Amino acid sequence: MSTWGGPVDVTLTGGRVVTPEGVLDRGWVAVRDGRITAVGRDSPPEGPTTDVGGGWVVPGFVDIHCHGGGGEAFTSADPERVRKAAAAHLQHGTTTMLASLVSRPVPELADQVSALAELVEDGVVAGIHLEGPFLSAARCGAHDPAILRPPERSAVDALLKAGRGTVRMVTVAPELEHSVDAIARLVDNGVLAAIGHTDATAAQIRPAVDAGASVATHLFNGMRPLHHREPGPIGALLDDDRVTVELICDLVHLHPTTVRLAARHAGAERTVLVTDAIAAAGAGDGVYDVGGLEVRVVDGVPTLAGGAALAGSTLTMDAAFRNAVVACGLDVVEAVRATATRPARLLGLADRTGELRAGLAADLVVLDADLRPQEVMSKGSWVKD
């Protein structure tokens, strides 16, 4: 999977173009030198054109929580295998992504971070997300509970140092010792602090958000359940306007009604769809290693071997987009905001990507009437298999 022939100068015409202001029927998007130069309706500018035949034209997807794909994981020390994982998702329209790592001992995790940092600098991925090891053993999911630990300053600093500025998000269980201090330190270093894999009460969530935590890692999953007398992390995070909530929209982790309720309450400014994909995404059923644990994928659903615990997903962002619209009842504009605009803003990339507007990178996806990708463009170049 690669870009094909370098940036093209072309105007895409005859589409339903989703802009920040809404949908332009018979819309067009002009691309020059890898960037969007203009967006409009009806009369396109002079020059080469490509008619998209009434398809949807949406911004390239931005995935802030992904562990791998195409049979490869971001834990690999081989850069070509990491590139293959990123390319598997690029084919499905993800033009920007964070590489997520699962819990490992801090020295091993630091080595993985250091290796990935070079690929961030090369533009293969937009940054690194550490989902662990600062998680609750009571809600560990597919993380090895023997590896989990509190976020002492020395551990946090070692991982940030290994990343050389490329660590963009770290998930923390706020009930752990040192967690509030760690969250404040992460935020002070320009890192998004996320709350996840937590058994915290609602009362324990508030100090973490006050310290700067601003993301809920896959809301509902890996968390103390919502209860009408103890809303726990789900209720506290969903109801706090300072927090953006991740939703895994594969229709396995969350029921469509749950997605709809959460998205409606959080609204367009706080809802982000993620894949939480493992190496099996785009690679099929089989047995995979996730953080040293054996994971079996059957009918596209990964679970820990010998148990029923979900272990990530095989989701791609185009499917998350499609599920949100078709199964969960979001409209296309809402789905665009949740899969591109909001995550780009969260990462501080709103001046580069996440919308179809002049001046931004020409990252876009052409979808057919069934919302399936027909073409993908990354920085003005068509993506080919």
Side-chain angles (χ1 to χ4, degrees), residues 90-101:
L90 181 60
Q91 185 175 4
H92 290 271
T94 299
T95 54
T96 304
M97 68 191 319
L98 294 187
S100 299
L101 299 176

Side-chain angles (χ1 to χ4, degrees), residues 316-333:
T316 52
M317 285 294 281
D318 62 311
F321 183 100
R322 191 163 54 251
N323 291 340
V325 175
V326 176
C328 302
L330 276 67
D331 64 38
V332 169
V333 174

Side-chain angles (χ1 to χ4, degrees), residues 26-70:
R26 303 181 308 280
W28 51 263
V29 180
V31 175
R32 304 290 185 272
D33 298 322
R35 307 193 76 78
I36 298 170
T37 56
V39 179
R41 168 186 279 132
D42 290 325
S43 301
E46 294 184 1
T49 62
T50 295
D51 191 325
V52 301
W56 293 94
V57 184
V58 302
F61 304 128
V62 180
D63 191 357
I64 65 170
H65 189 157
C66 180
H67 296 277

